[in-house]
Amino acid sequence: VNRRFFWNKFMLKDLIDSKDPEADIWITPIMQGFIQIERFNLLPDHDHPATTSTAIHDKSSTEQRDRNEFGLLLIARRSRFRAGTRYKRRGIDKSGSCANFVETEQIATYNNHVLSFVVTRGSVPLFWSQPGIQYRPPPVIDKGQEDTQAALGKHFNELVSIYGDLIIISLIDHVGREKVIHDAFMKNIITYNSPNLTFVSFDFHEYWITSDKTPICQQTCVMRVNCMDCLDRTNVVQAAIARVVLETQLRKLGCLLPEQSLPACCRLQWQGMWANCGDAISRQYAGTDALKGDFTRTGERNVKGVMKDGYNSANRDTYRQAVIDVMLGNPATEESHLLNLKRKIRQQLQKEDEWSAQREESAAHVISHCQRLIVPEDEQQVAGWMLINPQF
C-alpha cells in the first residue's frame, strides 16, 4: 500500500501493529480522491454500423464497434500528509509535505493496449499562509529562505525519486496579491537549481500556451501544476494537458487520424469526467465545487458560471480541520482546541438552560402554592406580580 494515500492507517494502527495474520482481512486501506470509468465511441451516432439479424453481420458489427471504442479511467489520489482544508493548510511543512497534493492518473484502454498518463498538483512549496477571517486574506511568507530551501529540497527530492524528472507549472498571478508568492517561489526554484526540474511560469489570467513538440511514446517526466489553491486554474490546465496526451495516444494506436481531434460527443463526455474530478477535489479541500467548472465542462465561460464562482468563493472554507487531524492521528492543533472549547461552551449552555427550566418550573409551583394560601376559595385572582430573590 502506498503510504501517501493510506488515509485510515492511523485508525488501523492497532491491527497493523498486532501482525496477526487473522487481522489482515480487517485491514482495508481507504483512499480519498476521485474515480470515474467511462466507455467512449469515436463514431458519431449516425455513423454507427447498422446491425442485421445474421450472425455474420452481428459479429462484424461487434468487431467494428470494438475498433472504434476505448475505455477511460480517471483516478485522483489525495495525499494524507499535510492534509486539511484550504485556509488551514497551505504550503509546505518541515518534512517536505505539501498541502492538497493530488496525483491524478488518466488510463486509456483500447483492445489489449493500456496507456497511462500521470500529472500531479500541490500547494506552492513555501512556508506561507493566509491568516485572517476576511474574504480572501492576503498571503504571507512565514519563514526565510534557509528554512524554505531545506523543506523544498526534501519535497522535490521525494517527487524525483518517485516520478523522475519534473516539469513545474506555476499558474500564480505575476501581479496583485499573489505576486509575493510568485516572486518567492521563483527565487527559491532558481536557488535550488536542480537539473531534474523544468520550471514554467505563466499568468493564467493573461496567457494561453500551445505546444508543437513531437510527442513521445513513454512518459519520462511528470508535470506538477499549482496555483494558489491548486483547484480551479490547476484543474483547467491539467485537463488541457491530459486532452493533448489522450489525443496523441489515440493517434499512436490508429484510433484517430494524424490531424484528427476527439469527436464532439467524446470531448463533452471527457470534459465531464475532468470537471467531476475537479469538483470532488475542491469539495475535499475547500468545501464546495471547483470554480471555472463551466470552462472545464464546456470549454467556455458563461455568466451563470461566473456568478456561481462568486458564491462559492465566499462559502468554500469550513472548520473541518480538527476532524481531519483526529482521523489521521495528527498532534492537537488550534482547530482541535477550538473544537473542544466550543463543545465545553455548548455543554455549559445546555446545563444553564436545564437549570433555567428547573427554576421556572419551581417558581411556577411556588406561585401556585402561595395563590392557594392567600386567595380565599370564594375569591378569584385577577392579577399579580412576583418578587424573586437574585440568589434563588
Side-chain angles (χ1 to χ4, degrees):
V1 178
N2 193 320
R3 68 186 186 92
R4 296 181 298 161
F5 310 124
F6 193 171
W7 271 72
N8 58 331
K9 183 176 182 180
F10 174 76
M11 302 173 72
L12 299 174
K13 184 176 183 302
D14 291 340
L15 290 176
I16 296 174
D17 293 343
S18 71
K19 301 186 183 302
D20 185 352
E22 295 184 358
D24 291 348
I25 191 174
W26 300 103
I27 302 176
T28 303
I30 294 178
M31 176 197 76
Q32 187 183 42
F34 170 84
I35 185 170
Q36 185 173 347
I37 304 173
E38 296 284 349
R39 293 291 299 176
F40 291 77
N41 196 311
L42 295 169
L43 291 177
D45 292 339
H46 61 274
D47 289 340
H48 284 199
T51 59
T52 65
S53 59
T54 63
I56 296 177
H57 284 81
D58 285 345
K59 182 178 179 180
S60 175
S61 175
T62 301
E63 292 176 351
Q64 187 171 354
R65 184 186 65 243
D66 291 342
R67 286 197 301 269
N68 290 286
E69 283 189 354
F70 69 93
L72 195 67
L73 182 150
L74 185 61
I75 180 170
R77 312 172 184 93
R78 295 191 72 224
S79 173
R80 67 185 176 93
F81 298 117
R82 194 155 176 77
T85 57
R86 183 175 60 160
Y87 286 119
K88 299 299 180 181
R89 287 294 180 270
R90 293 292 209 188
I92 200 170
D93 60 22
K94 62 182 180 181
S95 68
S97 299
C98 277
N100 198 29
F101 185 86
V102 183
E103 176 191 275
T104 305
E105 186 173 8
Q106 178 178 266
I107 302 174
T109 59
Y110 177 74
N111 289 339
N112 296 324
H113 302 284
V114 179
L115 307 98
S116 171
F117 171 68
V118 176
V119 63
T120 66
R121 71 177 75 186
S123 186
V124 181
L126 307 172
F127 289 101
W128 66 283
S129 60
Q130 284 184 278
I133 60 174
Q134 70 267 38
Y135 170 67
R136 293 184 65 193
V140 176
I141 301 296
D142 296 327
K143 292 189 179 182
Q145 188 164 352
E146 182 177 353
D147 292 332
T148 300
Q149 279 293 304
L152 182 142
K154 292 179 182 178
H155 176 68
F156 285 125
N157 287 341
E158 181 183 20
L159 294 187
V160 170
S161 68
I162 296 172
Y163 301 111
D165 292 345
L166 300 172
I167 299 177
I168 312 300
I169 302 178
S170 177
L171 311 176
I172 301 173
D173 292 346
H174 297 178
V175 296
R177 68 171 58 235
E178 297 182 6
K179 185 177 187 299
V180 61
I181 301 297
H182 167 267
D183 293 346
F185 192 21
M186 177 77 77
K187 181 179 179 180
N188 278 278
I189 285 291
I190 293 174
T191 303
Y192 184 59
N193 192 28
S194 170
N196 301 114
L197 303 185
T198 300
F199 185 75
V200 179
S201 175
F202 71 96
D203 192 327
F204 178 88
H205 298 112
E206 190 171 346
Y207 302 103
W208 185 251
I209 57 172
T210 59
S211 176
D212 296 324
K213 294 182 179 180
T214 302
I216 55 178
C217 296
Q218 182 178 358
Q219 185 173 352
T220 58
C221 65
V222 167
M223 297 180 183
R224 184 193 188 277
V225 186
N226 69 260
C227 54
M228 290 293 283
D229 298 331
C230 300
L231 296 175
D232 316 313
R233 288 170 280 181
T234 295
N235 203 61
V236 171
V237 170
Q238 283 192 345
I241 296 170
R243 177 182 169 184
V244 172
V245 171
L246 177 62
E247 291 179 341
T248 301
Q249 292 172 335
L250 294 177
R251 293 188 190 108
K252 290 287 184 181
L253 293 176
C255 300
L256 296 177
L257 297 175
E259 301 298 328
Q260 186 181 1
S261 300
L262 278 176
C265 57
C266 293
R267 186 167 61 249
L268 290 175
Q269 187 179 357
W270 174 87
Q271 288 172 339
M273 292 181 68
W274 272 92
N276 293 339
C277 179
D279 287 345
I281 297 301
S282 182
R283 283 193 296 270
Q284 292 159 12
Y285 186 50
T288 67
D289 291 345
L291 307 185
K292 300 177 178 67
D294 56 327
F295 187 87
T296 307
R297 292 182 187 277
T298 65
E300 59 184 17
R301 294 287 274 158
N302 53 55
V303 175
K304 180 180 178 181
V306 173
M307 294 178 65
K308 182 179 179 182
D309 286 357
Y311 174 81
N312 286 346
S313 293
N315 295 276
R316 62 195 315 214
D317 193 50
T318 59
Y319 283 94
R320 294 172 291 126
Q321 187 63 53
V323 178
I324 295 174
D325 287 334
V326 169
M327 184 185 73
L328 296 178
N330 295 335
T333 61
E334 177 186 351
E335 290 77 23
S336 301
H337 296 310
L338 180 62
L339 190 66
N340 289 330
L341 179 60
K342 287 184 176 181
R343 180 176 55 82
K344 291 179 180 179
I345 292 175
R346 283 197 300 267
Q347 290 176 347
Q348 183 64 31
L349 291 175
Q350 185 177 1
K351 290 180 179 179
E352 291 179 359
D353 290 341
E354 292 176 355
W355 173 235
S356 297
Q358 291 176 359
R359 285 200 305 174
E360 291 177 2
E361 184 178 358
S362 298
H365 283 300
V366 171
I367 294 173
S368 177
H369 180 67
C370 292
Q371 182 179 340
R372 289 195 301 270
L373 292 175
I374 297 173
V375 180
E377 294 182 359
D378 57 344
E379 295 182 10
Q380 182 178 3
Q381 180 185 3
V382 176
W385 65 90
M386 178 176 57
L387 296 178
I388 299 179
N389 188 332
Q391 303 301 321
F392 175 73

